[in-house]
Amino acid sequence: MDGEKPQSFFCDWSQVGSANVTGTFVKLPAAKADADHYLENGFTSAAGSLDAGASIDMQVRVAKEDWTNYTQTGDYSFNAVDTNYVDWTKSPAYVSGNLIWGSEPN
């Protein structure tokens, strides 16, 4: 358990401009199995729109404000097996509030 510590989001690069990628840490109203907070990524209007079937890359970092390590083994989306990019259903994605990819923690 990582506890209640403020966190910071950094977007280092994206095709839409790093300043146009947002990150907000949200506490779940009720903790779920292996999840009590999530990171919500979004985009400013200056990022433009994304055509159906298109994608972008984002290079982002997150850190606790005191720079202590995270304990990943209890995190819902943590994948200790793969060392390359893979489709990972434990990273749900939403468009306009509708789940379009993955699954939420139980």
Side-chain angles (χ1 to χ4, degrees):
M1 187 63 79
D2 287 308
E4 298 281 334
K5 293 187 177 184
Q7 300 179 82
S8 297
F9 169 83
F10 308 93
C11 180
D12 295 324
W13 180 86
S14 177
Q15 290 102 325
V16 299
S18 58
N20 296 321
V21 178
T22 62
T24 304
F25 297 94
V26 181
K27 184 175 181 172
L28 293 170
K32 298 184 177 188
D34 294 329
D36 53 11
H37 290 78
Y38 64 89
L39 171 62
E40 180 177 298
N41 288 117
F43 304 91
T44 68
S45 60
S49 60
L50 189 64
D51 293 331
S55 64
I56 63 164
D57 292 323
M58 302 182 305
Q59 295 176 359
V60 303
R61 296 176 288 128
V62 297
K64 294 181 203 173
E65 286 189 357
D66 67 2
W67 295 97
T68 58
N69 292 334
Y70 287 99
T71 304
Q72 295 176 307
T73 54
D75 292 345
Y76 174 74
S77 64
F78 178 63
N79 178 352
V81 178
D82 293 303
T83 57
N84 294 306
Y85 292 117
V86 297
D87 287 341
W88 189 242
T89 60
K90 287 188 169 185
S91 292
Y94 297 82
V95 173
S96 299
N98 297 310
L99 179 66
I100 62 160
W101 170 258
S103 60
E104 294 182 341
N106 297 322

